[in-house]
């Protein structure tokens, strides 16, 4: 019986991986968009230029990503030309890397292997559209999760001190290097990892008896006692990580931002606290959090979607309950208390930024906070002494995960968000129209749907035809890059809104299906000559 119980987590993990493999093979591109397709295009460019990490011939988006999907996609492009296969293999490799990083993070916390494996299934379960889109299929956030787990795992090992001198030196080297790499990527990791970790360890020191004694009498003896505590060690290690992350961010600001083109965060301001702006930000922050767990807006309360939406509330309540409850427990491991406190601090800090600044707010930004709740859930299940409470948490969470995952998987299999794009993509590829322009949401994704046969640059609108240089190769916008016919791809809505635009009058309409229209011009220059000056 005990042996059977020990094998159940591994069976569930294997079943989850098989589910994801099946979804990759059958319906992988159903919910892909131009943001995700951009990573494929970017990786193919790197291969063409014999580069591994970056190129100056690319318009980046919101950040400069050092360790990202290009490290797997790039080499695959050298041996394979099928984009579907490349994305599938990349996703599977990243599933394995994410699991490995999670196990690495969990080991110093001394959670049982079975519970660790069982909780890792939650990293792979697509229990909401956000998770399916940005984790399991789109794979835009798995690399962030991997780096965060890896860094935190090294931090925990440094804090535990259960290693020899040589092992500790190697840990320090990798810890420093990864902190620098995180900083070079932008402010993301500072916000989700280094800054919350410094605040957490500071609050942890603040709660120590030695610190209270030092507050009462600032003597050399009391300071010495405080200095020798494990809590002070936690704080110093977190400061070191934050320091080198800031060094990396300095490299980003001084060198990377001048060599590469991407959006910086200099324009992010504090919001105006009037005219309802604050309440709108609070509403959006709560809405994004609920959508991470599967909230579906504008659907019937008693429908299947309504039930799944209720499950989102329950899941959020469960994770909140176990985090608060474990924080009140007497923990045998100081590192467990630290991680639980980190979840609270990280959530509050990021919520503060989401609400009180003009930063973009979307559900996926909560993913790097949610992943640490899984470890707290394990702490709770191991340390809760009331069997009924454990049973209630496990039962409710299991029901919610089954509902959310079932609904998301069914939607992913039956709802193809790119269905209307496939006919026009096929038309372009079969008729030799290999270069043109479209608004961003209809550009890169067509390239992926045509297995790279059709290249499309971005424009702001069909009237002014201004280049929208975002997640796109620079060569698309260089004079003389493409010779021969150039097309303009528009949606039916865009055609109706810009019906009087010169491009729609002067171009030759070669395709129309009620969803998309294609106009062809003799050259890129002929298309751009149709632009209306502002």
């Amino acid at each position: 019986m005990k042996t059977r119980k020990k094998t159940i987590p591994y069976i569930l993990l294997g079943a989850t991986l098989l589910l994801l493999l099946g979804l990759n093979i059958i319906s992988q591109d159903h919910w892909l968009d131009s943001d995700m397709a951009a990573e494929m295009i970017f990786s193919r460019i790197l291969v063409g230029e014999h580069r591994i990490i970056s190129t100056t011939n690319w318009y980046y988006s919101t950040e400069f990503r050092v360790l990202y999907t290009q490290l797997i996609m790039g080499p695959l492009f050298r041996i394979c030309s099928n984009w579907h296969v490349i994305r599938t293999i990349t996703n599977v490799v990243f599933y394995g890397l994410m699991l490995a990083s999670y196990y690495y993070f969990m080991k110093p916390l001394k959670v049982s292997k079975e519970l660790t494996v069982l909780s890792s299934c939650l990293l792979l379960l697509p229990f909401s559209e956000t998770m399916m889109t940005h984790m399991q299929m789109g794979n835009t956030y798995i690399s962030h999760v991997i780096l965060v787990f890896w860094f935190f795992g090294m931090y925990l090992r440094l804090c535990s001190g259960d290693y020899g001198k040589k092992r500790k030196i190697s840990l320090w080297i990798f810890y420093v290097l990864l902190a620098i790499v995180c900083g070079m990527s932008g402010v993301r990791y500072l916000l989700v990892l280094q800054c919350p970790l410094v605040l957490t360890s500071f609050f942890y020191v603040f709660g120590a008896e030695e610190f209270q004694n030092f507050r009462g009498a600032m003597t050399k003896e009391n300071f010495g006692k405080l200095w020798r505590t494990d809590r002070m060690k936690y704080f110093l290690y977190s400061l070191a990580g934050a320091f080198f992350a800031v060094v990396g961010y300095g490299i980003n600001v001084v060198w990377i931002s001048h060599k590469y083109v991407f959006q910086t965060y200099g324009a992010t301001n504090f919001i105006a606290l009037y005219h309802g702006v604050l309440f709108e930000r609070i509403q959006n922050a709560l809405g994004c959090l609920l959508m991470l767990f599967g909230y579906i807006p504008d659907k019937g309360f008693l429908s299947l979607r309504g039930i799944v939406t209720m499950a989102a509330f329950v899941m959020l309540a469960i994770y909140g309950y176990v985090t608060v409850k474990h924080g009140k427990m007497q923990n045998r491991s100081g590192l467990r208390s630290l991680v639980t406190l980190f979840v609270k601090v990280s959530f509050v800090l990021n919520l503060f930024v989401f609400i009180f600044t003009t930063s973009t707010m979307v559900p996926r930004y909560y993913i790097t906070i949610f992943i640490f709740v899984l470890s707290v859930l394990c702490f709770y299940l191991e340390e809760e002494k009331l069997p009924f409470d454990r049973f209630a948490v496990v039962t409710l969470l299991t029901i919610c995960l089954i509902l959310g995952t079932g609904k998301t998987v069914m939607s992913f299999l039956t709802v193809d968000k790119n269905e209307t794009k496939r006919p026009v993509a096929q038309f372009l590829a079969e008729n030799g129209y290999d270069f043109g322009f479209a608004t961003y949401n209809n550009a890169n994704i067509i390239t992926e749907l045509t297995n790279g046969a059709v290249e499309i640059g971005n424009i702001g609108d069909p009237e002014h035809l201004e280049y929208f240089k975002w997640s796109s190769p620079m060569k698309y916008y260089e004079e003389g890059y493409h010779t021969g016919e150039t097309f303009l791809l528009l949606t039916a809505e865009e055609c109706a809104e810009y019906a009087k635009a010169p491009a729609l009058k002067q171009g030759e309409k070669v395709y129309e299906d009620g969803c998309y229209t294609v106009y062809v011009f003799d050259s890129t220059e002929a298309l751009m000559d149709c632009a209306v000056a502002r």
Side-chain angles (χ1 to χ4, degrees):
M1 188 67 178
K2 288 184 178 180
T3 304
R4 187 180 301 174
K5 285 185 177 180
K6 287 184 177 181
T7 60
I8 289 176
Y10 297 93
I11 294 173
L12 291 175
L13 177 61
T16 304
L17 288 170
L18 285 175
L19 170 66
L20 293 181
L21 180 60
L23 293 176
N24 271 279
I25 295 173
I26 299 171
S27 313
Q28 181 199 85
D29 57 7
H30 278 193
W31 291 359
L32 295 182
D33 57 29
S34 284
D35 284 334
M36 301 166 199
E39 306 305 329
M40 295 282 285
I41 299 171
F42 175 64
S43 299
R44 188 174 66 165
I45 288 178
L46 290 180
V47 171
E49 297 181 358
H50 303 287
R51 298 177 184 273
I52 299 174
I53 294 177
S54 63
T55 174
T56 55
N57 299 314
W58 178 263
Y59 289 111
Y60 294 80
S61 55
T62 56
E63 59 190 342
F64 178 80
R65 293 163 179 170
V66 181
L67 302 177
Y68 202 59
T69 52
Q70 80 272 20
L71 297 178
I72 305 298
M73 287 180 175
L76 288 175
F77 266 112
R78 297 180 185 277
I79 60 175
C80 180
S81 60
N82 189 303
W83 287 41
H84 185 98
V85 172
I86 290 173
R87 184 177 285 281
T88 297
I89 295 175
T90 300
N91 285 351
V92 172
V93 169
F94 268 80
Y95 299 154
L97 292 174
M98 181 169 63
L99 289 174
S101 67
Y102 179 66
Y103 299 150
Y104 179 79
F105 161 73
M106 290 291 282
K107 190 173 182 179
L109 300 171
K110 304 188 186 316
V111 175
S112 68
K113 290 183 180 179
E114 293 76 23
L115 194 53
T116 299
V117 171
L118 188 61
S119 63
S120 68
C121 294
L122 274 67
L123 286 172
L124 299 172
L125 283 177
F127 53 80
S128 70
E129 183 171 330
T130 297
M131 292 295 288
M132 178 74 88
T133 302
H134 297 285
M135 288 284 285
Q136 287 79 25
M137 291 297 115
N139 194 1
T140 58
Y141 258 67
I142 293 183
S143 60
H144 302 318
V145 172
I146 293 170
L147 294 183
V148 167
F149 276 146
W150 187 18
F151 183 88
F152 213 130
M154 287 190 286
Y155 170 78
L156 293 175
R157 282 163 174 76
L158 288 171
C159 289
S160 66
D162 297 334
Y163 299 92
K165 186 176 181 180
K166 290 185 178 179
R167 182 81 177 273
K168 195 167 185 179
I169 290 174
S170 64
L171 264 177
W172 262 112
I173 292 173
F174 283 110
Y175 184 69
V176 169
L177 289 176
L178 186 55
I180 292 174
V181 169
C182 286
M184 288 171 61
S185 302
V187 300
R188 176 191 297 275
Y189 297 101
L190 280 166
L191 181 61
V192 303
L193 183 58
Q194 279 89 11
C195 287
L197 196 54
V198 169
L199 287 173
T200 299
S201 57
F202 172 76
F203 291 140
Y204 209 54
V205 170
F206 191 83
E209 181 181 348
E210 292 83 357
F211 185 78
Q212 302 308 319
N213 293 336
F214 180 69
R215 289 177 67 194
M218 297 176 62
T219 63
K220 184 177 181 180
E221 180 183 1
N222 283 340
F223 180 76
K225 292 180 180 179
L226 175 62
W227 185 261
R228 290 189 294 270
T229 61
D230 286 342
R231 298 191 180 206
M232 178 58 73
K233 183 169 60 176
Y234 299 168
F235 179 60
L236 294 176
Y237 286 144
S238 70
L239 276 180
F243 171 79
F244 287 106
V246 171
V247 170
Y249 185 64
I251 296 173
N252 178 287
V253 173
V254 174
W255 179 60
I256 295 177
S257 63
H258 293 282
K259 186 175 181 179
Y260 302 93
V261 181
F262 58 91
Q263 177 182 306
T264 61
Y265 293 87
T268 301
N269 303 319
F270 280 102
I271 63 169
L273 295 177
Y274 48 79
H275 298 318
V277 176
L278 175 60
F279 294 104
E280 181 180 349
R281 297 291 295 187
I282 294 173
Q283 173 185 318
N284 291 341
L286 178 60
C288 287
L289 181 60
L290 284 168
M291 290 183 71
L292 172 65
F293 293 105
Y295 184 95
I296 306 174
D298 301 323
K299 299 300 178 182
F301 178 73
L302 297 179
S303 65
L304 174 59
R305 292 179 176 87
I307 295 173
V308 172
T309 293
M310 291 303 298
F313 284 96
V314 176
M315 268 198 286
L316 182 57
I318 291 172
Y319 290 128
Y321 168 75
V322 298
T323 303
V324 173
K325 183 69 181 292
H326 184 263
K328 296 179 179 180
M329 290 179 177
Q330 293 296 323
N331 303 305
R332 288 170 288 179
S333 169
L335 293 180
R336 290 191 175 191
S337 295
L338 184 75
V339 172
T340 302
L341 182 58
F342 173 83
V343 171
K344 299 175 184 177
V345 171
S346 180
F347 177 72
V348 172
L349 176 61
N350 282 270
L351 198 62
F352 174 84
V353 173
F354 294 158
I355 292 175
F356 289 99
T357 73
T358 57
S359 62
T360 306
M361 197 188 313
V362 286
R364 62 180 179 270
Y365 285 176
Y366 285 105
I367 291 176
T368 47
I369 303 171
F370 159 73
I371 57 176
F372 290 105
V373 179
L374 302 183
S375 59
V376 179
L377 176 63
C378 292
F379 305 157
Y380 170 82
L381 293 177
E382 282 194 341
E383 299 175 21
E384 176 60 77
K385 297 179 180 178
L386 301 174
F388 176 81
D389 289 24
R390 288 199 307 271
F391 176 79
V393 166
V394 172
T395 302
L396 285 173
L397 186 57
T398 301
I399 293 172
C400 291
L401 289 171
I402 291 175
L403 284 171
T405 302
K407 170 63 181 67
T408 305
V409 169
M410 283 189 61
S411 294
F412 189 70
L413 290 172
T414 58
V415 178
D416 184 358
K417 296 182 180 181
N418 292 314
E419 182 179 8
T420 58
K421 293 183 176 68
R422 298 184 192 280
V424 67
Q426 183 178 359
F427 168 82
L428 293 170
E430 290 180 350
N431 289 275
Y433 296 116
D434 58 356
F435 184 77
F437 291 87
T439 50
Y440 181 73
N441 290 335
N442 301 300
N444 291 336
I445 185 60
I446 295 294
T447 301
E448 177 154 353
L449 293 177
T450 58
N451 205 46
V454 178
E455 297 179 323
I456 306 183
N458 307 318
I459 56 168
D461 64 66
E463 184 175 10
H464 301 98
L465 297 173
E466 290 183 338
Y467 293 144
F468 179 60
K469 301 173 180 179
W470 182 273
S471 291
S472 186
M474 289 185 177
K475 62 185 180 182
Y476 289 178
Y477 313 99
E478 294 173 355
E479 186 176 351
Y481 166 66
H482 178 74
T483 56
E485 292 183 323
T486 298
F487 65 84
L488 177 64
L489 170 67
L490 301 176
T491 65
E493 292 77 10
E494 289 167 344
C495 287
E497 182 177 357
Y498 298 97
K500 297 182 180 180
L504 276 68
K505 296 179 178 180
Q506 298 179 29
E508 178 188 359
K509 185 188 294 186
V510 295
Y511 178 88
E512 185 174 22
D513 63 6
C515 295
Y516 290 93
T517 303
V518 177
Y519 295 88
V520 172
F521 300 81
D522 292 336
S523 64
T524 301
E525 291 74 19
L527 168 62
M528 292 304 157
D529 286 343
C530 298
V532 174
R534 286 185 181 275

